[in-house]
Amino acid sequence: MSGGDTDGSVTGGGASERLIRLLGGDEIAWLVDRARHRLEQGRPPTGTVTLTAATPAQRRAAEALLGRRAGAGSSLSVSLDEVDRILRASGVTADGLREAVVRLRGPIRDLSGEKAARTAAWERAFTRLDTLVANRPELSGWRSWLESTGLVRRLAATAGEARTLLDRLSAVLERLPSPGTPLGRLAAETCGDAHGLDEGRPLATLALSAARALSGLPYAGESGADARRSVWAAVGVHLDDLSSLVLCLGLPGDDRSPTGRMLNAARAAGEPCVLTLRQLRRHESPLPADLVRICENPVVVAAAADELGASCPPLICGGGRPSTAVWRLLDLLAAGGATFAYHGDFDWGGIAIASSVHERLGFQPWRFDAASYQAVPSSAPLSGQARPTPWDPALTVAMERRGVRVEEELVLAELIADLVPKRHGAES
């Protein structure tokens, strides 16, 4: 039995019938599929393919194609080079196995080319975002995190969808921090959809992780409503006038507005006062004060209220990244002639927060300089990107060399002692 039919007078129609008879059946489909897979990967249809646990019918189909016994045993091996030679020699296909695969299965896809095109499309999707990140080094770690987690690919099914999503994200990030901006207005102005940054939207998921990065927080972070509100507030964005808050103690008020009367009453009672952005926006006149101290953590305010009560001098808690309400209150005090003293956490996130306050209002450091940092025992490792400390350049150098963080709670007793009124009115 010779390999295939070598009658050279076969017509085109006859060749097609013989091709179907030799390679078109279900029992030999595995071989055609293996050849097609190699072609789609840009490889020639050569070498040997093996089918394990071949059925008797599959073995008979291979023997009919080859014109000989196809070995013994449970596996079946066929040389694609031999199949190519048989198809050419018999006149079934002029271009051998490649032509046979195309006629039986349709055009060969260029999988390597398609993969390269998809890769290029995904790279282009990040073009605007990567340009922005190149100028915002504080986002570089977050950008690497995006890549390693595959978050964008989970949120966008195609590179085209990703490009639209990331271009809108870039527009949002170009505006952050954005003090005093309502979330809906930010969404409307950056992506043409006032609800584009609503909870659960893909854009909101990405923007919130970037806002965490800008605030020195873990990129994944907590997902609750309070945590989300806090993160947006850290970059100056508020969800509404009632969700943006500021905590204060001992702040002088006035009798001209409800907010002023609230401050006076809280000061007389020695109790902390929480003000909303709505209340502060309705208070239009400056708040007169002398020295106002600013801390980062509410534990300082709580301890000061417990220890000093009504005798505590003006104290404001920034609560991490200042919210819009915090900025509004500080601006009202600055307009009233107040000066400021600042203390926060000795870590790079705390330094970033302090820098934003210093840039906007200026302050004198309140135990927030290199000497104070060096004086506090700590073994907690310092991580993150170093930042300048213009109020005391030596502080950055000291933190880089020592490499530990010092949280505000570790110096709570010293801070409270500073708040104790001095007999002659001197400030520490």
Side-chain angles (χ1 to χ4, degrees), residues 291-295 339-346 350-351 354-355 357-358 361-373 389-396 408 411 414-415 418 427-428:
L291 179 66
V292 176
R293 295 185 186 268
I294 305 170
C295 62
T339 58
F340 302 95
Y342 187 93
H343 188 277
D345 290 334
F346 286 104
I351 295 300
S355 296
V357 177
H358 188 268
L361 300 169
F363 62 68
Q364 65 185 66
W366 174 24
R367 295 185 183 270
F368 204 56
D369 51 21
S372 300
Y373 169 72
T389 50
W391 60 92
D392 181 17
L395 176 56
T396 295
E408 202 167 35
V411 293
E414 290 83 354
L415 296 177
D418 291 342
E427 286 291 352
S428 176

Side-chain angles (χ1 to χ4, degrees), residues 203-224:
L203 179 60
T205 299
L206 293 172
L208 201 61
S209 68
R212 291 191 183 99
L214 291 172
S215 306
L217 300 171
Y219 310 138
E222 299 179 17
S223 58

Side-chain angles (χ1 to χ4, degrees), residues 172-347:
V172 172
L173 297 184
E174 287 165 359
R175 292 277 299 275
L176 298 181
S178 186
T181 304
L183 184 66
R185 190 177 83 194
L186 177 65
E189 292 176 352
T190 56
C191 58
D193 179 1
H195 298 285
L197 291 171
D198 285 359
E199 176 68 8
R201 294 284 189 95
L203 179 60
T205 299
L206 293 172
L208 201 61
S209 68
R212 291 191 183 99
L214 291 172
S215 306
L217 300 171
Y219 310 138
E222 299 179 17
S223 58
D226 288 342
R228 176 172 169 264
R229 183 181 297 111
S230 177
V231 171
W232 278 121
V235 290
V237 178
H238 59 276
L239 276 61
D240 55 72
D241 284 357
L242 296 178
S243 63
S244 183
L245 308 172
V246 57
L247 172 66
C248 59
L249 175 66
L251 213 61
D254 57 42
D255 294 325
R256 295 188 299 275
S257 72
T259 300
R261 289 190 288 273
M262 284 181 62
L263 288 172
N264 274 341
R267 185 184 192 189
E271 289 295 331
C273 181
V274 176
L275 298 174
T276 68
L277 178 60
R278 175 185 172 88
Q279 290 168 321
L280 290 166
R281 281 185 166 164
R282 290 177 172 235
H283 185 93
E284 299 179 353
S285 60
L287 290 170
D290 296 322
L291 179 66
V292 176
R293 295 185 186 268
I294 305 170
C295 62
E296 185 177 338
N297 299 287
V299 66
V300 180
V301 176
D306 290 341
E307 296 290 331
L308 305 176
S311 66
C312 183
L315 176 64
I316 293 175
C317 175
R321 280 276 181 178
S323 66
T324 304
V326 172
W327 287 125
R328 173 64 178 171
L329 178 56
L330 292 174
D331 287 343
L332 288 172
L333 289 164
T339 58
F340 302 95
Y342 187 93
H343 188 277
D345 290 334
F346 286 104
D347 57 31

Side-chain angles (χ1 to χ4, degrees), residues 122-132 163 166-167:
W122 275 99
E123 289 177 353
R124 287 194 299 272
F126 283 87
T127 298
R128 181 174 174 183
L129 180 63
D130 285 340
T131 299
L132 181 146
R163 182 165 190 167
L166 293 174
D167 283 353

Side-chain angles (χ1 to χ4, degrees), residues 90-105:
S90 65
V92 173
T93 58
D95 196 23
L97 185 53
R98 175 184 292 272
E99 180 184 342
V101 170
V102 172
R103 286 167 59 180
L104 290 168
R105 295 284 194 272

Side-chain angles (χ1 to χ4, degrees), residues 109 111 113-124 153 159:
R109 294 173 58 191
L111 294 183
E114 291 177 12
K115 182 179 179 180
R118 287 195 301 270
T119 299
W122 275 99
E123 289 177 353
R124 287 194 299 272
R153 290 177 182 265

